[in-house]
């Protein structure tokens, strides 16, 4: 049997994780046009925003998997950056055009300044409040991921040393503690400013999970998933929101193992997960520009189902004709650069 097919089957649960993540994200964005009547329901729906952290954990895991598979590749760092750029930029740039078009017809393009667009084109928008989400909704998470890609090859090397690995994590934890004990008010503008910092430990947790996931059994996975989910709820009701990304990231490590070992990993989640990036970029169209507000839970559920049903085929189309085209272009560029190096040598 083809080794690539074997690998796809072995790690199908990663696509399931992405499928669950994008469904969670769709839930939170549809919930923004739904009027809550129950605080517990509010938490569960709002927790959908943590789907981004599930994406981050799955991303860190797959990057590590890819790094080990290519450990003997020449010019790995150069090739890594080329692959990541050609994987991310086509759909994101398409998103810039799509949302400009919608806002243009709504007469609301004041945020489309030259600087804001430039920050988005260079994936630095998470660092600039005015550009963070104003060009592409949810663009902060793509920017954060791209910043993680920037340091991943070096973080991966550091994490080969157990002592250095725990020092990095301890440093992040102490940083959060100092910020909290220092009495800094975590208002919206401050959260924007430190977003990429508070998300970094989630990626680090994903790398840790990759290194030790084989030692985790299903019982431990259920305990980690449930206990850290409960902790996330405690942080939510006590308004320690800045710790929720890290807590959720640890919880999702448990979920990854549950997906690996149970039938929760299924063809539906897998197929949605495969096209989850395209769905992420385009799904905002429906709750933000098309659906009217509602106070009916049944209508809210219908919104979620419609968004998934419409975005999935669009995602398949974009993956086949846009994502794969540019991924192949990136691979061809790598082959070209490798051949040039061989000629020069």
């Amino acid at each position: 049997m083809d080794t690539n097919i074997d690998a796809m089957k072995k790690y199908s649960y990663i696509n399931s994780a992405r499928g669950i993540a994008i469904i969670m994200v769709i839930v939170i964005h549809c919930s923004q046009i739904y009027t809550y009547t129950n605080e517990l329901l509010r938490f569960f729906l709002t927790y959908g925003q943590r789907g981004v952290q599930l994406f981050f954990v799955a991303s860190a895991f797959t990057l590590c998997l890819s790094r080990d598979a290519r450990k003997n590749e020449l010019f790995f760092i150069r090739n890594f950056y080329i692959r990541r750029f050609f994987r991310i930029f086509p759909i994101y740039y398409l998103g810039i055009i799509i949302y400009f078009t919608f806002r243009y017809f709504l007469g609301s393009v004041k945020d489309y300044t030259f600087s804001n667009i430039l920050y988005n084109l260079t994936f630095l928008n998470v660092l600039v409040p005015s550009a963070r989400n104003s060009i592409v909704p949810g663009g902060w998470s793509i920017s954060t991921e791209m910043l993680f890609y920037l340091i991943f090859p070096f973080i991966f090397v550091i994490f080969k040393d157990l002592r250095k690995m725990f020092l990095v994590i301890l440093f992040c934890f102490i940083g959060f503690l100092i910020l909290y004990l220092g009495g800094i008010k975590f208002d919206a503008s401050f959260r924007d400013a430190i977003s990429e910092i508070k998300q970094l430990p989630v990626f680090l947790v994903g790398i840790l999970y990759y290194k030790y996931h084989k030692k985790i059994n299903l019982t431990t996975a259920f305990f980690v998933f449930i206990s850290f989910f409960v902790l996330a709820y405690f942080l939510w009701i006590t308004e320690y929101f800045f710790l929720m990304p890290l807590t959720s990231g640890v919880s999702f490590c448990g979920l990854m193992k549950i997906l690996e070992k149970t039938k929760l990993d299924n063809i539906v989640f897998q197929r949605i997960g495969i096209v989850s990036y395209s769905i992420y970029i385009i799904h905002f169209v429906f709750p933000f520009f098309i659906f009217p507000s509602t106070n009916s839970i049944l209508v809210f559920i219908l919104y979620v189902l419609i968004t998934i049903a419409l975005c999935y085929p669009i995602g398949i189309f974009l993956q086949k004709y846009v994502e794969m085209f540019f991924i192949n272009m990136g691979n061809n560029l790598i082959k070209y650069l490798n051949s040039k190096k061989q000629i020069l040598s």
Side-chain angles (χ1 to χ4, degrees):
M1 183 178 286
D2 190 289
T3 55
N4 289 329
I5 295 175
D6 285 340
M8 288 174 63
K9 288 182 177 180
K10 183 178 180 181
Y11 295 105
S12 64
Y13 65 92
I14 299 175
N15 281 328
S16 282
R18 292 193 179 105
I20 293 172
I22 191 58
I23 291 171
M24 291 176 66
V25 169
I26 290 172
V27 165
I28 178 58
H29 292 134
C30 286
S31 75
Q32 291 177 7
I33 54 172
Y34 168 63
T35 303
Y36 295 98
T37 57
N38 179 283
E39 282 301 306
L40 186 59
L41 177 62
R42 180 185 180 89
F43 167 74
F44 277 102
L45 297 185
T46 304
Y47 197 75
Q49 65 187 295
R50 298 303 152 205
V52 173
Q53 279 74 54
L54 180 51
F55 273 125
F56 289 165
V57 170
S59 178
F61 187 95
T62 53
L63 289 178
C64 292
L65 194 66
S66 175
R67 178 66 184 92
D68 278 343
R70 294 188 170 102
K71 59 186 176 183
N72 296 321
E73 181 183 44
L74 294 175
F75 316 113
F76 168 79
I77 294 179
R78 181 202 67 189
N79 296 347
F80 171 80
Y81 291 140
I82 292 174
R83 289 189 184 100
R84 291 296 89 197
F85 180 73
F86 278 87
R87 170 72 177 88
I88 297 298
F89 94 85
I91 300 299
Y92 193 78
Y93 287 7
L94 179 62
I96 294 175
I97 297 170
I98 289 172
Y99 291 107
F100 173 80
T101 303
F102 272 92
R103 286 174 173 141
Y104 177 80
F105 284 106
L106 291 173
S108 177
V109 293
K110 64 181 186 303
D111 292 323
Y112 282 77
T113 63
F114 175 79
S115 59
N116 282 350
I117 293 173
L118 183 61
Y119 285 127
N120 276 264
L121 290 174
T122 55
F123 299 101
L124 296 175
N125 47 296
V126 73
L127 303 175
V128 183
S130 65
R132 184 176 164 83
N133 289 313
S134 59
I135 305 301
V136 178
W140 73 269
S141 66
I142 306 302
S143 175
T144 300
E145 182 134 353
M146 289 294 276
L147 290 176
F148 174 68
Y149 292 162
L150 195 63
I151 64 173
F152 170 76
F154 311 102
I155 290 289
F156 187 82
V157 172
I158 291 174
F159 269 42
K160 287 184 177 181
D161 185 316
L162 191 64
R163 180 173 171 272
K164 290 180 180 178
M165 174 180 66
F166 282 107
L167 282 175
V168 169
I169 295 174
L170 180 62
F171 173 77
C172 290
F173 177 77
I174 291 174
F176 287 140
L177 193 61
I178 290 172
L179 289 173
Y180 174 69
L181 294 178
I184 296 175
K185 182 181 179 182
F186 286 83
D187 58 15
S189 61
F190 183 74
R191 286 198 301 271
D192 285 348
I194 67 165
S195 175
E196 73 285 355
I197 299 174
K198 73 179 181 183
Q199 299 297 337
L200 176 60
V202 181
F203 289 104
L204 301 184
V205 164
I207 297 175
L208 267 178
Y209 177 70
Y210 173 78
K211 290 185 173 292
Y212 295 102
H213 73 281
K214 293 180 180 178
K215 298 180 180 180
I216 300 172
N217 59 40
L218 191 57
T219 301
T220 302
F222 272 109
F223 173 78
V224 169
F225 175 61
I226 294 171
S227 60
F228 278 87
F229 177 81
V230 172
L231 178 58
Y233 178 70
F234 173 78
L235 293 172
W236 184 74
I237 62 176
T238 54
E239 299 186 353
Y240 293 147
F241 300 119
F242 70 101
L243 285 174
M244 285 189 69
L246 177 58
T247 305
S248 301
V250 176
S251 175
F252 290 140
C253 289
L255 178 60
M256 290 275 285
K257 179 58 68 171
I258 293 169
L259 285 167
E260 180 185 356
K261 296 296 184 180
T262 69
K263 292 183 179 180
L264 185 60
D265 171 30
N266 61 75
I267 192 67
V268 175
F269 289 152
Q270 290 167 20
R271 290 189 180 277
I272 293 174
I274 288 170
V275 295
S276 58
Y277 176 46
S278 289
I279 293 176
Y280 179 83
I281 295 299
I282 64 175
H283 83 274
F284 297 95
V285 167
F286 298 97
F288 286 13
F289 297 97
I290 296 176
F291 296 152
S293 299
T294 182
N295 58 6
S296 168
I297 186 66
L298 293 178
V299 173
F300 160 74
I301 294 170
L302 188 62
Y303 283 171
V304 172
L305 295 176
I306 290 174
T307 302
I308 296 170
L310 293 179
C311 287
Y312 177 67
I314 297 173
I316 292 175
F317 176 84
L318 291 177
Q319 190 215 28
K320 183 176 181 179
Y321 294 105
V322 180
E323 289 188 52
M324 292 309 303
F325 175 82
F326 283 97
I327 287 172
N328 290 333
M329 183 182 292
N331 289 333
N332 290 334
L333 176 60
I334 289 171
K335 290 178 183 178
Y336 172 76
L337 293 175
N338 287 345
S339 64
K340 295 287 286 185
K341 286 285 185 181
Q342 290 174 356
I343 292 172
L344 290 174
S345 61

